[in-house]
Amino acid sequence: MAKKIAVLTSGGDAPGMNAAIRAVVRKTIFDGHEAYGVRYGYRGLAEGDIFRMEAADVSNLSARGGTVLYTARYPEFANEEGQLKAIEQLKRHDIDGLVVIGGDGSYRGALALARHGFLTVGIPGTIDNDIPGTDFTLGFDTACNTAIDALDKLRDTAKSHMRTFIVEVMGRNAGDIALWSGIGCGADQIIIPEKDFNMDDVIAQIDHGRERGKMHTMIVLAEGVMPAHEFAEAMSQYGEYHIRAVVIGHIQRGGAPSAKDRLLATAFGHRAVEMIEEGKSGICMGIRDNKLIYTPIEEALNSKGTDSNFNEYLYNLNNETSVWS
Ligand code: ADP
Ligand code: F6P
């Protein structure tokens, strides 16, 4: 029997969300069902902002950043009252299943709906790459590419002026963007929340480089450690390092998704529809060792911190390749 399958985006937007929406809509229609969009995340869901989507509505979406369904932060959804409003609207529109694209906060909302008996599947969409149950989240690859582009440009000027650049990248409490983009641009040091750092060591490494003729320094700082200007202030106590602090900011959230994010989004969206068709609920999509997987959302949320995507190998890789010895 034909089903009605809806999709929403929630939390911070991420490149690749649109490609996932497109895949959900197209696969739903391909399989003979009806596709629906929900605007403004859980707020729109509770308010019944639900509309029919046709295949043509998602034309050309793979290439576009942001989310055409808009996103919102709606704290009321943590309360049962907000969740019941959503269930009421889903029933009113005869929706059979919902795909939620978002981060771990959005997953908590999806889990709440599943616990109320509504067929709900999650897709990991956040640039932070901080959701357990997957090696990669949608938007992470694109955000790293954006950060690398900025870092490469900053290095040009750092080198010309023999300056020290402290570049703050996003990631909330995770250091993945810092680690990947830092390695990608050959940063001298990468400072992330998962690893303690010591300013004496940071300075010692810069001095060591200067003794060998390396007069500029690139430090990639994850926002979860401290703001770049604070780091700069702490460094400046040690002497004159010609410091400039730069915050790359929300540029990392926008732009056309990378090839990897487009492909991942399409595979996640396609598989999420299959999961709903199979009656699987309260689960989230992931990719592990290049294979599509799914995990109960509860298990994924409970493993946060233990199953972090942080990779010790990458941290050491940078330490052992960045020093001028
Ligand atoms: P992200 O999904 O990117 O982690 P947020 O943490 O802002 O972003 O969460 C997005 C939305 O998910 C929130 O605005 C809220 O509507 C919903 N949400 C967050 N936490 C919960 C919760 N504990 N229970 C139900 N819904 C939640
Ligand atoms: O979760 C994505 C993210 O961009 C984080 O990296 C960052 O800490 C946060 O969202 C910024 O949130 P806002 O857009 O509300 O400033």
Side-chain angles (χ1 to χ4, degrees), residues 19-47:
I21 294 167
R22 171 183 172 274
V24 169
V25 169
R26 290 277 169 88
K27 171 68 173 163
T28 297
I29 295 170
F30 182 83
D31 286 351
H33 307 302
E34 287 179 13
Y36 288 80
V38 181
R39 292 188 193 91
Y40 308 112
Y42 292 122
R43 174 154 64 85
L45 191 63
E47 291 169 0

Side-chain angles (χ1 to χ4, degrees), residues 11-13 73 125-128 130 169-173 177 223 249-250 252-253:
D13 65 347
R73 294 206 161 105
T126 167
I127 62 166
D128 301 333
D130 62 348
V169 298
M170 278 187 167
R172 211 177 282 264
N173 298 314
I177 297 178
E223 65 171 353
H250 286 77
Q252 292 159 100
R253 285 249 292 268

Side-chain angles (χ1 to χ4, degrees), residues 81-98:
E81 199 188 329
Q83 296 159 13
L84 291 177
K85 276 190 197 163
I87 296 283
E88 195 184 311
Q89 291 294 346
L90 286 162
K91 283 190 180 148
R92 205 159 73 82
H93 288 82
D94 286 326
I95 304 294
D96 298 293
L98 176 70

Side-chain angles (χ1 to χ4, degrees), residues 33-108:
H33 307 302
E34 287 179 13
Y36 288 80
V38 181
R39 292 188 193 91
Y40 308 112
Y42 292 122
R43 174 154 64 85
L45 191 63
E47 291 169 0
D49 198 345
I50 301 171
F51 65 102
R52 179 91 182 257
M53 291 184 86
E54 303 294 350
D57 295 332
V58 292
S59 288
N60 255 335
L61 269 199
S62 295
R64 286 172 60 188
T67 160
V68 289
L69 291 177
Y70 305 99
T71 181
R73 294 206 161 105
Y74 179 62
E76 292 88 337
F77 209 69
N79 306 323
E80 184 145 26
E81 199 188 329
Q83 296 159 13
L84 291 177
K85 276 190 197 163
I87 296 283
E88 195 184 311
Q89 291 294 346
L90 286 162
K91 283 190 180 148
R92 205 159 73 82
H93 288 82
D94 286 326
I95 304 294
D96 298 293
L98 176 70
V99 179
V100 170
I101 308 168
D104 59 351
S106 306
Y107 272 17
R108 286 178 210 286

Side-chain angles (χ1 to χ4, degrees), residues 187-325:
D188 297 280
Q189 304 202 27
I190 302 173
I191 314 287
I192 54 177
E194 294 87 346
K195 286 277 178 190
D196 291 337
F197 80 96
N198 178 326
M199 193 56 91
D200 291 343
D201 295 340
V202 171
I203 297 295
Q205 191 180 322
I206 295 175
D207 289 346
H208 177 81
R210 294 200 171 190
E211 281 157 20
R212 281 156 182 74
K214 179 165 192 191
M215 302 311 286
H216 72 284
T217 303
M218 295 294 292
I219 298 177
V220 178
L221 173 71
E223 65 171 353
V225 177
M226 66 172 73
H229 70 87
E230 266 180 38
F231 194 92
E233 177 60 34
M235 262 190 86
S236 64
Q237 309 301 317
Y238 285 76
E240 179 53 270
Y241 288 95
H242 309 283
I243 302 167
R244 292 292 184 276
V246 174
V247 180
I248 303 181
H250 286 77
I251 291 171
Q252 292 159 100
R253 285 249 292 268
S258 65
K260 184 173 171 182
D261 276 330
R262 294 181 198 198
L263 194 125
L264 204 54
T266 307
F268 281 164
H270 177 272
R271 191 82 185 102
V273 171
E274 289 181 340
M275 295 280 111
I276 286 180
E277 289 169 346
E278 290 169 25
K280 294 203 169 64
S281 188
I283 55 145
C284 51
M285 306 307 309
I287 186 155
R288 179 135 297 154
D289 299 331
N290 239 1
K291 289 199 176 57
L292 277 186
I293 58 161
Y294 67 88
T295 314
I297 294 178
E298 193 167 12
E299 192 183 311
L301 290 173
N302 288 341
S303 66
K304 185 149 180 155
T306 53
D307 173 31
S308 98
N309 294 323
F310 171 66
N311 191 328
E312 187 82 24
Y313 165 74
L314 293 181
Y315 187 75
N316 293 330
L317 177 66
N318 190 63
N319 280 345
E320 294 177 18
T321 54
S322 61
V323 180
W324 276 32
S325 40

